[in-house]
Amino acid sequence: MLKTKFLLIFLLIASFAVLSPAQSLPEGKWRLVTYSFAGNVAPPLPGMDITLNIHAEGKLGGKSGCNTYGGEYAVKDDKLKISDIISTMMACDDSSPQFEHSFL
């Protein structure tokens, strides 16, 4: 279930990016500037830097608030597969755990 939620949010972040003919994601560093969870469109919580770093060799990772995450991705036949997701589990302030749970 955690992987499914992460995939949905990841697709939201990368929705403006078009896959190239080589079937890869746009390599680089991305920053979340707005989101929509359950129809609530808003910027990230103040002081939270939410990032997604996409690497050409099929790796991805970033910050989900106060924690970091990483994993692997593959694109085949216009389908994105994200696997082997890991995340730190640091204690955060009162508002960020709920946001991070929804994000991941």
Side-chain angles (χ1 to χ4, degrees):
M1 179 140 182
L2 180 64
K3 288 181 183 180
T4 303
K5 285 184 180 182
F6 175 79
L7 176 59
L8 292 174
I9 299 305
F10 175 78
L11 291 175
L12 174 68
I13 294 169
S15 64
F16 62 91
V18 178
L19 295 177
S20 71
Q23 298 286 312
S24 64
L25 295 178
E27 183 179 348
K29 296 181 179 185
W30 303 89
R31 190 165 113 342
L32 181 69
V33 294
T34 189
Y35 68 90
S36 175
F37 295 152
N40 179 26
V41 177
L45 297 171
M48 292 184 84
D49 190 26
I50 313 300
T51 62
L52 170 65
N53 303 319
I54 301 172
H55 305 279
E57 63 274 2
K59 306 281 185 194
L60 58 79
K63 289 190 69 175
S64 58
C66 79
N67 288 292
T68 58
Y69 65 93
E72 298 182 5
Y73 75 87
V75 179
K76 184 175 179 182
D77 299 327
D78 293 330
K79 293 186 181 191
L80 175 64
K81 179 181 179 183
I82 298 175
S83 59
D84 300 326
I85 298 296
I86 59 169
S87 175
T88 60
M89 296 176 67
M90 304 209 21
C92 305
D93 68 34
D94 292 337
S95 58
S96 63
Q98 182 179 2
F99 176 88
E100 286 188 295
H101 177 74
S102 297
F103 175 77
L104 293 172

